[in-house]
Amino acid sequence: MKPDLSVSLGSLRVKNPVMSASGTFGYGLEFSPFFDISRLGAIVVKGLSLEPSKGNPPGRIVETASGMLNAIGLQNIGVERFVADVVPRLEDAGATYVANIYGRTPEEYEEVARRVSSIRSLAAIEVNASCPNVKEGGMAFGATPEGVSRLTARVRQSTDKPVWVKLSPNVSDIGTIASAAAGAGADAVSLINTLVGMAVDHRTRRPKLSNVTGGLSGPAIKPVALRMVWEVCRRVSIPVIGIGGIQTAADALEFLLVGASAVQVGTANFRNPMACIEILEGIEAFLREERLTGISEYRGTLSR
Ligand SMILES: Cc1cc2nc3c(=O)[nH]c(=O)nc-3n(C[C@H](O)[C@H](O)[C@H](O)COP(=O)(O)O)c2cc1C
């Protein structure tokens, strides 16, 4: 029997728990030459802001041991072009997609949320309360429970779509921050965004990133992400979406085991454009091997 891969994220049911993480999968269409993008649980698009943005000047990316640092600075086409040019193509492709949104002020977040809310085919809004690479907004709102609570409430009252709040790992108590998002009406939390790091060149004596600091992602951050997801799953009753260093089906299953309802795959897409599909197929093969009827029989079953 084919195992049931579908999962519920509050009111939203998706066909499987494998999603692409924002900023690592373009607007989804870029991956159409590699596989049928409608097979994914969801595509989370690159962070959208009210106006188009060029992001930070180069260098914006540095490879590190088992990962990478990025300081893209939320380069994007802006919400208007997304609605006009990208949405019809995502609809044609039959993709389930989520708008990751960003603003410099809570008012801007609200405005972007309002604009994307009118898109009928949009599955959910993911609020980036955690970008470390911009001077205003992003992590500034995600660093305290009060900031997260205010931002979540603001987006919540401006849309009927499910609201996911994406959390920063650059905090001392992730559980309290997640509780604040849940208390303010988030339908789910997604974590983690990148960890703040830096790289310097010992010969030129200069930083390698124009922004000096950047966000660390990839396999190097997986143990931190797994611990935070485990902690948050024990603190909140809303669904948790696990992100951080997932490269294989086994990695994804570890996040489901500690209680995540779904996962997002980020940096792995740069190394292997088929990563999401291989992970999806690997999860299905594992459930068959274990003779499990579906994800729900496995999720959150960590024993100690
Ligand atoms: C180049 C790059 C761009 C990113 N852009 C965004 C973004 O626009 N919005 C967002 O919420 N997260 C963004 N992220 C964070 C990822 O979605 C993800 O949370 C993080 O990279 C950890 O997952 P990973 O280790 O699988 O990459 C970006 C990450 C990378 C590497």
Side-chain angles (χ1 to χ4, degrees), residues 198-229:
M198 73 187 278
V200 297
D201 186 316
H202 73 282
R203 288 196 189 279
T204 62
R205 306 185 190 193
R206 297 173 74 88
K208 290 187 177 173
L209 293 168
S210 67
N211 193 51
V212 183
T213 61
L216 182 66
S217 63
I221 72 169
K222 198 189 84 177
V224 177
L226 194 63
R227 185 269 295 177
M228 289 190 162
V229 167

Side-chain angles (χ1 to χ4, degrees), residues 99-298:
N100 179 284
I101 65 163
Y102 158 76
R104 284 169 301 180
T105 61
E107 292 73 26
E108 271 188 26
Y109 275 96
E110 196 178 326
E111 187 54 33
V112 182
R114 214 181 286 284
R115 294 212 193 168
V116 292
S117 295
S118 58
I119 311 170
R120 279 193 55 190
S121 57
L122 181 78
I125 295 175
E126 183 177 67
V127 182
N128 181 357
S130 44
C131 182
N133 301 322
V134 285
K135 290 199 175 58
E136 304 159 288
M139 210 165 79
F141 302 119
T144 62
E146 298 73 32
V148 168
S149 176
R150 239 178 294 131
L151 186 61
T152 306
R154 197 137 196 160
V155 175
R156 174 70 289 163
Q157 51 91 30
S158 66
T159 180
D160 293 329
K161 298 283 184 189
V163 173
W164 305 349
V165 178
K166 184 159 174 184
L167 305 180
S168 169
N170 304 296
V171 295
S172 50
D173 182 1
I174 191 80
T176 302
I177 303 267
S179 298
D187 295 278
V189 283
S190 42
L191 64 147
I192 59 176
N193 207 314
T194 54
L195 284 149
V196 179
M198 73 187 278
V200 297
D201 186 316
H202 73 282
R203 288 196 189 279
T204 62
R205 306 185 190 193
R206 297 173 74 88
K208 290 187 177 173
L209 293 168
S210 67
N211 193 51
V212 183
T213 61
L216 182 66
S217 63
I221 72 169
K222 198 189 84 177
V224 177
L226 194 63
R227 185 269 295 177
M228 289 190 162
V229 167
W230 171 73
E231 223 174 291
V232 167
C233 288
R234 288 149 50 111
R235 280 290 287 274
V236 299
S237 51
I238 56 173
V240 175
I241 301 166
I243 322 168
I246 297 173
Q247 296 200 100
T248 63
D251 293 336
L253 285 159
E254 290 171 21
F255 280 86
L256 299 176
L257 181 61
V258 303
S261 296
V263 295
Q264 291 179 12
V265 179
T267 300
N269 294 305
F270 296 134
R271 271 190 41 189
N272 173 12
M274 294 294 288
C276 287
I277 285 302
E278 288 171 12
I279 289 167
L280 175 57
E281 288 172 353
I283 291 174
E284 184 171 350
F286 173 80
L287 294 178
R288 273 184 208 275
E289 248 171 67
E290 296 284 307
R291 299 185 194 287
L292 297 170
T293 55
I295 302 279
S296 58
E297 228 188 301
Y298 181 74

Side-chain angles (χ1 to χ4, degrees), residues 33-55:
F34 299 101
F35 62 87
D36 174 3
I37 58 172
S38 74
R39 288 180 66 194
L40 295 180
I43 291 163
V44 185
V45 303
K46 173 66 187 167
L48 295 164
S49 53
L50 212 45
E51 303 295 335
S53 166
K54 288 200 173 97

